């Protein structure tokens, strides 16, 4: 064996399959050896007594995604991937969003320009299909899938993004034909609009009424409809940001009927409730306005159960970063606006892994193997990046997290995003990455971030490998 550039020694290696003691030998940015008593490397990291997991794959985050002025996302590829790395995430998959009337190709080209030379960790793109023209369906999507954009998000709500059921069927048919992964945002747009108008007519416009306009029913109905549309086309789907029991029940029903329905959930459905949007009419609740909204403690328990028992495939942040006290953020134009106009989304890229590790693994709710599966291995498989990403195996990229354990109180000051708050301010955490390695380079050492914008590269995705028997499996 030629000399190893780096050895991470005495690691307690955790994969989605097992946990074992090993040294990890790294050269050329990849894992090249795994075993006990590896020869000395040119550099050594002592991980004795530490858990080492694959770098996280955050398969649902929004970075520098164009939105209507004056609103603007706080994180671009520089600050967003910096924040990701400091929280143990070494691959991000944000969204190249088609504008209605525009082409997918324009969206992809624009998004590459935004990422180029700025990312600190590797990245791939999902597409958002908001205008399913014949050209998009029959020319652009097939070509882009071949080029490595193998997943696309379909919205059932939001005026500027949503597709009607017929259009959803058209897009699902393309996913089926080419073996791509369709992600679905399931909320019933008409119900939300109807409820919003009634709330507005009654003068109920404070942030907390965002949750009243999007009750569980609107997610349940759309989840059932998405499942039915996928059944009609006979194609697997992945339902994103599942928030509570009634949507979970629909997915369990689908699985029991043999349908391939994958599901994602996010930290906000474990750690926030609707009370975080306000128990009175204070505008502070705008900080936690996201869709679907956080529910209540009993729904949180259902989500925890689903993480433990295999209902959920993927755990993502849905990082959608808007500053609170800013005219380009939660106070558009400097105003405290009615909930309908509050930009939807909360930051979470950096806190995703530490929250789940602290409360899930150290809290005894999920195993360490399940943690790795949900946060790294399955997202890599779902979006065609495995085994290069999401695994600790010979040949995989040397993207690793060496965990540090110990209690501390989280505050926004220690985070690296460009957002002026965290929804998890004041929460006691029990773990944080002591080291993050991306391609064998230490990008975070537990105290300092080692910046090299542009070290992150674009990753063309293969077809999903979560679906045995289908292309790409
Ligand atoms: N909901 C979404 O669907 N996307 C971004 C943020 C949010 O809250
Ligand atoms: Zn969404
Ligand atoms: Zn999202």
């Amino acid at each position: 064996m030629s000399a190893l550039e780096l050895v991470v020694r005495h690691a307690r290696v955790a994969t989605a399959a097992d946990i074992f003691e090993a040294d990890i030998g790294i050269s050329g940015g990849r894992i090249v050896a795994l075993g006990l008593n590896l020869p000395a490397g040119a550099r050594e990291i002592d991980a004795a007594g530490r858990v080492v997991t694959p770098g996280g794959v955050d398969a649902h985050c929004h970075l520098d995604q164009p939105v209507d002025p004056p609103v603007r996302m706080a994180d671009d590829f520089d600050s967003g991937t910096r924040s990701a790395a400091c929280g143990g995430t070494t691959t991000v998959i944000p969204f190249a969003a088609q504008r209605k009337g525009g082409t997918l190709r324009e969206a992809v080209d624009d998004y590459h320009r935004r990422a180029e030379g700025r990312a600190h960790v590797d990245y791939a793109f999902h597409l958002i299909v908001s205008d399913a023209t014949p050209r998009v369906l029959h020319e652009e999507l097939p070509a882009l899938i071949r080029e490595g954009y193998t997943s696309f998000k379909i919205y059932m709500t939001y005026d500027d993004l949503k597709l009607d059921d017929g259009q959803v069927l058209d897009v699902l048919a393309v996913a089926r034909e080419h073996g791509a992964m369709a992600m679905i945002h399931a909320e019933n747009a008409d119900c939300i609009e109807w409820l919003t108008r009634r709330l507005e007519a009654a003068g109920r416009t404070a942030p907390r009424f965002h949750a009243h306009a999007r009750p569980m029913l609107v997610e349940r109905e759309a989840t059932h409809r998405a499942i039915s549309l996928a059944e009609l086309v006979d194609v697997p789907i992945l339902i994103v940001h599942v928030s509570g029991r009634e949507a979970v029940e629909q997915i369990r029903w689908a699985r029991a009927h043999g349908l391939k329905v994958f599901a994602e959930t996010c930290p906000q459905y474990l750690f926030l409730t609707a009370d975080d949007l306000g128990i009175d009419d204070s505008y502070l609740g705008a900080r936690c306005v996201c869709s679907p909204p956080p529910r209540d403690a009993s729904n949180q328990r259902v989500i925890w159960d689903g993480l433990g028992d295999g209902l959920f495939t993927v755990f993502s942040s849905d990082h959608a970063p808007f500053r609170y006290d800013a005219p380009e953020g939660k106070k558009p134009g400097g105003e405290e606006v009615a909930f309908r106009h509050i930009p939807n989304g909360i930051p979470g890229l950096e806190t995703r892994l530490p929250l789940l590790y602290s409360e899930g693994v150290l809290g005894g709710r999920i195993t360490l193997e399940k943690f790795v599966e949900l946060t790294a291995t399955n997202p890599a498989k779902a979006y065609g990046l495995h085994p290069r990403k999401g695994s600790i195996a010979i040949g995989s990229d040397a993207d690793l997290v060496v965990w540090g354990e110990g209690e501390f109180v989280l505050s926004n000051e220690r985070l690296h995003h460009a957002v002026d708050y965290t929804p998890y301010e004041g929460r006691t955490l029990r773990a944080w990455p002591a080291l993050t390695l991306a391609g064998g380079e230490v990008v975070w050492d537990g105290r300092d971030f080692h910046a090299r914008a542009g070290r992150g590269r674009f990753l063309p995705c293969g077809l999903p490998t979560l679906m045995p028997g289908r292309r790409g499996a």
Side-chain angles (χ1 to χ4, degrees):
M1 186 190 304
S2 58
L4 296 165
E5 289 170 16
L6 172 65
V7 175
V8 179
R9 187 106 22 218
H10 308 303
R12 190 160 169 253
V13 174
T15 72
D18 43 25
I19 300 170
F20 54 94
E21 306 293 325
D23 304 332
I24 306 169
I26 296 166
S27 283
R30 301 222 167 183
I31 297 170
V32 295
L34 204 52
L36 296 172
N37 304 314
L38 292 186
R43 288 179 51 232
E44 299 252 334
I45 289 172
D46 183 9
R50 306 259 198 196
V51 168
V52 178
T53 58
V57 178
D58 196 334
H60 186 160
C61 53
H62 303 266
L63 297 177
D64 202 9
Q65 190 175 311
V67 277
D68 288 337
V71 177
R72 191 163 48 82
M73 286 199 171
D75 284 314
D76 62 8
F77 277 82
D78 180 357
S79 63
T81 58
R82 172 188 306 248
S83 168
C86 297
T89 287
T90 50
T91 304
V92 294
I93 318 183
F95 297 84
Q98 181 194 20
R99 287 196 172 262
K100 281 206 199 288
T103 67
L104 272 176
R105 182 65 69 181
E106 284 162 1
V108 167
D109 291 347
D110 172 55
Y111 216 46
H112 273 293
R113 281 191 294 273
R114 290 166 188 264
E116 190 66 42
R118 301 184 70 76
H120 299 276
V121 302
D122 290 347
Y123 57 95
F125 296 165
H126 304 294
L127 308 172
I128 291 174
V129 181
S130 65
D131 203 352
T133 62
R135 177 162 164 221
V136 164
L137 294 169
H138 305 303
E139 294 172 37
E140 286 208 300
L141 265 179
L144 286 164
I145 292 167
R146 281 194 296 277
E147 290 171 36
Y149 309 87
T150 58
S151 48
F152 25 88
K153 186 170 175 190
I154 297 168
Y155 282 85
M156 299 170 83
T157 188
Y158 293 133
D159 286 345
D160 51 343
L161 297 172
K162 73 175 186 228
L163 303 185
D164 65 28
D165 289 356
Q167 294 164 332
V168 173
L169 289 167
D170 283 340
V171 177
L172 290 180
V174 176
R176 182 181 198 283
E177 186 180 345
H178 297 276
M181 179 63 91
M183 311 159 75
I184 303 199
H185 178 132
E187 288 184 296
N188 181 313
D190 288 344
C191 291
I192 293 168
E193 181 57 30
W194 188 82
L195 286 166
T196 300
R197 285 214 205 109
R198 280 171 67 104
L199 287 160
E200 287 172 341
R204 300 177 154 206
T205 59
R208 69 190 172 105
F209 292 110
H210 173 79
H212 296 227
R214 307 176 103 98
M216 196 71 231
L217 176 157
V218 310
E219 186 181 342
R220 183 233 299 163
E221 185 282 328
T223 301
H224 183 84
R225 188 156 34 100
I227 289 167
S228 304
L229 298 176
E231 183 181 3
L232 194 58
V233 176
D234 183 25
V235 67
I237 50 168
L238 190 147
I239 314 258
V240 294
H241 45 52
V242 172
S243 74
R245 182 174 58 80
E246 295 181 35
V248 164
E249 284 170 354
Q250 297 303 315
I251 296 162
R252 288 199 195 281
W253 176 90
R255 296 253 182 99
H257 287 76
L259 302 176
K260 273 267 174 291
V261 176
F262 300 103
E264 173 202 79
T265 194
C266 313
Q268 46 271 39
Y269 307 117
L270 296 175
F271 301 109
L272 301 178
T273 68
D275 283 355
D276 290 297
L277 276 67
I279 46 174
D280 57 22
D281 286 354
S282 159
Y283 200 71
L284 285 170
R287 294 176 301 182
C288 294
V289 164
C290 60
S291 296
R295 308 292 179 187
D296 62 13
S298 73
N299 281 291
Q300 290 178 339
R301 283 192 289 278
V302 170
I303 300 295
W304 276 116
D305 289 346
L307 286 172
D309 70 15
L311 185 275
F312 288 110
T313 316
V314 175
F315 185 74
S316 308
S317 68
D318 198 6
H319 181 81
F322 298 101
R323 292 173 66 82
Y324 171 66
D325 213 356
E328 73 279 10
K330 296 281 187 177
K331 297 179 182 170
E335 303 287 324
E336 295 190 354
V337 295
F339 72 83
R340 175 202 282 279
H341 303 293
I342 298 172
N344 279 206
I346 62 172
L349 251 178
E350 192 166 349
T351 45
R352 175 184 72 120
L353 295 181
L355 280 167
L356 192 65
Y357 196 101
S358 295
E359 299 283 336
V361 178
L362 300 180
R365 293 179 166 107
I366 59 170
T367 64
L368 188 50
E369 292 95 323
K370 181 57 87 177
F371 169 85
V372 173
E373 180 185 301
L374 288 161
T375 59
T377 312
N378 274 354
K381 287 182 175 175
Y383 302 113
L385 294 172
H386 189 264
R388 177 169 178 187
K389 301 293 183 186
S391 194
I392 298 180
I394 291 174
S396 295
D397 283 357
D399 294 352
L400 302 170
V401 181
V402 180
W403 283 91
E405 295 184 15
E407 281 196 5
F408 69 96
V409 176
L410 182 66
S411 76
N412 196 50
E413 272 114 71
R414 67 173 287 147
L415 300 180
H416 300 79
H417 56 198
V419 185
D420 56 355
Y421 74 97
T422 167
Y424 310 109
E425 184 77 31
R427 178 175 276 275
T428 300
L429 294 189
R430 297 159 72 181
W432 196 269
L435 279 181
T436 306
L437 281 82
E441 267 183 61
V442 174
V443 287
W444 164 249
D445 66 12
R447 234 188 56 174
D448 293 314
F449 176 67
H450 301 277
R452 192 157 73 77
R455 71 158 302 290
R457 282 157 306 168
F458 173 70
L459 303 165
C461 294
L463 295 178
T465 55
L466 274 177
M467 305 178 259
R470 288 178 59 81
R471 251 167 305 171

